[in-house]
Amino acid sequence: MRTLSRRGAIGLGAGAVTAAGLAGCGGSKDPDGAKPSAGSGKNRSGSAKPSPSPTAPARPLGDGSTSFTGKQPHQPAAPRPLEPGQEPPQFVVFSWDGAGEVGNGLFPRFLDLAKEHGAAMTFFLSGIYLLPESKKRLYDPPGNRRGASDIGYLTDAHIKDTLKNLRRAWLEGHEIGTHFNGHFCGEGSGSVGNWTSAQWRSEIDQAKGFVKEWRTNSGWTDLPALPFDYDKELVGGRTPCLLGQDKLLPTARALGWRYDASSPGGRQTWPTKKQGLWDLPLQQIPFPGRGFEVLSMDYNMLANQSINSTKAPSHNYPHWRRQAAQAYIQGFKRAFETNRAPFFVGNHFEQWNGGIYMDAVEEAFKHIAREKEKGADVRLVSFRQFVDWLDVQKPEVLAKLRTLEVGQRPAGGWQTFLGAKTPASPRPSAA
């Protein structure tokens, strides 16, 4: 039986146990083979329309690994403040940690799904996924030996596939954030949970460097550049195992980041800022059939179903897939039908337990997209697009939204709850 260890995991690692399950992420350096799992969905790339061209002639940056191509395509209209009494949109963000293509077809599978439904997502790229293993000593991880990585390195072929999918993702309107590099968890001195702000700065600089200099590091000058300026594109990330946020935030703020998605154990309420950045955590959501809630991430579903096994007995798979899908759907419905708090889902490109978690998130995604297609103001967006909306709202409106608890409907309906203040009646004149 295959188990999930803290080392040798692709973008993952064991997190701390909470009442909601494991507050972290996990994975495998060799994720269950190269082929998509049974029931993981057909390859839709043949029917997908080609990616759009950049909006302006490419201007190479640095060594030509990246380029400026103008405004990103497929972005929503400029956000506007809520009108008095207006019902808030239901924002939903699907995000992916690591964002490396490892031969299982999951990156293009979910790009196709998003394209089919006009959605945007956030891909938190691990910088070393663009660094050939032959050059691994270029990575100097804080508190760890040079070249070390708890998620290993991709093959050259998989790096090329990752570059192809990153290019497509950005051109189709998705956000490229960061999951940093070596994914060091645990409690040792080298864990990201113990890094100083200066060490986080080193890790970020290296993660950006591996994206901005993949041509130099690989020698692949015949491949097209990534069509974005990563210094401007990168405005947020998620830390490995949801560790180390407090020391990360001062560095992230100094770099001009706008949000961080690393808080563990968030609740389905409207977000606040922490140290000047929007704090956008994974959330506790209902876990059908259980007396506790689970964090909104595939690893936390697995941790509460098969503990630390990625290949549990297959007779469990149908029930676990339904349970995971319904957890996401119930989490969405709870917000959509009550306080309209944004709903955040985190995942990895993995095939644990026969690929059931990928099938579950696709089922939930389609359920949510159908609500949008029926006319509801449901917006499947990236984290960057969501904070664009937050930043134009009136502070007093956001403060009022934050008074709504998990699953709490606005008293009197939205028109009353967010309505304009009734002008005071004029005082009668003295006789």
Side-chain angles (χ1 to χ4, degrees):
M1 180 172 65
R2 186 173 194 165
T3 59
L4 202 63
S5 67
R6 289 190 175 181
R7 299 190 62 84
I10 190 164
L12 315 175
V17 176
T18 71
L22 288 175
C25 44
S28 162
K29 187 186 293 187
D30 177 25
D32 300 346
K35 296 182 179 180
S37 61
S40 62
K42 46 191 172 261
N43 185 347
R44 303 177 184 83
S45 58
S47 60
K49 296 178 182 178
S51 299
S53 300
T55 58
R59 174 166 56 84
L61 301 171
D63 68 354
S65 296
T66 57
S67 59
F68 176 75
T69 59
K71 183 179 179 181
Q72 185 178 14
H74 299 294
Q75 296 304 294
R80 299 169 60 181
L82 288 172
E83 297 291 337
Q86 182 182 353
E87 184 179 51
Q90 178 61 59
F91 288 98
V92 181
V93 181
F94 283 85
S95 58
W96 301 87
D97 288 4
E101 173 53 51
V102 294
N104 55 23
L106 291 171
F107 203 151
R109 171 184 171 182
F110 285 96
L111 286 176
D112 289 349
L113 182 66
K115 190 171 188 176
E116 182 180 346
H117 294 281
M121 299 179 176
T122 292
F123 295 94
F124 289 126
L125 173 65
S126 294
I128 61 167
Y129 283 175
L130 300 188
L131 180 68
E133 187 167 12
S134 61
K135 298 294 183 68
K136 69 180 184 180
R137 289 189 59 78
L138 293 175
Y139 177 39
D140 187 13
N144 293 274
R145 70 183 187 282
R146 181 175 289 275
S149 169
D150 273 10
I151 55 172
Y153 292 82
L154 301 188
T155 67
D156 287 0
H158 290 160
I159 295 174
K160 292 178 181 179
D161 288 342
T162 298
L163 286 165
K164 177 181 177 181
N165 284 299
L166 289 171
R167 176 181 172 83
R168 176 186 167 187
W170 191 86
L171 290 174
E172 292 181 359
H174 304 287
E175 175 190 10
I176 312 300
T178 187
H179 199 44
F180 306 93
N181 289 307
H183 209 283
F184 302 100
C185 298
E187 300 175 356
S189 60
S191 168
V192 299
N194 296 317
W195 285 357
T196 66
S197 294
Q199 288 176 316
W200 276 114
R201 179 60 186 261
S202 173
E203 179 79 349
I204 293 168
D205 288 347
Q206 291 184 80
K208 290 171 65 176
F210 297 144
V211 176
K212 294 162 59 178
E213 298 170 4
W214 62 261
R215 279 189 171 179
T216 296
N217 294 334
S218 67
W220 303 329
T221 57
D222 57 329
L223 299 181
L226 292 172
F228 52 81
D229 180 345
Y230 203 40
D231 285 326
K232 296 179 179 178
E233 172 69 13
L234 182 55
V235 295
R238 179 178 288 137
T239 63
C241 303
L242 310 181
L243 296 173
Q245 186 193 52
D246 287 346
K247 296 294 178 62
L248 164 68
L249 290 181
T251 295
R253 184 176 185 179
L255 290 170
W257 287 18
R258 299 173 60 201
Y259 75 88
D260 180 67
S262 305
S263 291
R267 301 167 68 242
Q268 287 188 274
T269 55
W270 283 87
T272 60
K273 284 189 174 181
K274 184 183 289 187
Q275 297 189 40
L277 277 72
W278 287 109
D279 184 31
L280 308 177
L282 292 174
Q283 299 162 326
Q284 298 176 25
I285 58 175
F287 198 39
R290 306 295 290 273
F292 55 86
E293 298 194 330
V294 65
L295 287 189
S296 51
M297 176 176 270
D298 52 4
Y299 179 72
N300 304 95
M301 304 293 176
L302 175 143
N304 284 287
Q305 291 174 335
S306 59
I307 314 302
N308 67 344
S309 174
T310 61
K311 286 188 174 180
S314 60
H315 65 83
N316 295 296
Y317 294 173
H319 167 67
W320 287 348
R321 180 188 57 75
R322 288 192 299 271
Q323 186 181 46
Q326 283 301 310
Y328 294 130
I329 291 170
Q330 289 184 28
F332 164 75
K333 289 180 65 177
R334 181 164 68 180
F336 180 55
E337 295 174 356
T338 61
N339 65 1
R340 286 294 176 97
F343 181 46
F344 306 140
V345 176
N347 286 285
H348 307 83
F349 293 137
E350 44 77 8
Q351 293 178 296
W352 307 325
N353 289 336
I356 60 173
Y357 304 107
M358 297 295 90
D359 293 342
V361 78
E362 179 169 346
E363 180 181 340
F365 182 97
K366 288 179 176 178
H367 175 96
I368 294 167
R370 281 196 296 272
E371 292 293 337
K372 180 187 74 166
E373 290 151 9
K374 288 189 294 186
D377 192 1
V378 174
R379 305 185 190 183
L380 289 148
V381 298
S382 67
F383 279 119
R384 183 173 191 158
Q385 291 167 347
F386 175 53
V387 298
D388 285 345
W389 185 88
L390 284 175
D391 283 341
V392 304
Q393 301 309 308
K394 297 176 181 178
E396 61 269 24
V397 171
L398 293 177
K400 190 71 180 290
L401 290 171
R402 290 188 198 106
T403 66
L404 295 172
E405 282 295 324
V406 177
Q408 181 182 359
R409 291 180 172 86
W414 288 108
Q415 189 168 5
T416 299
F417 185 74
L418 292 181
K421 291 182 179 179
T422 304
S425 301
R427 292 181 179 180
S429 58

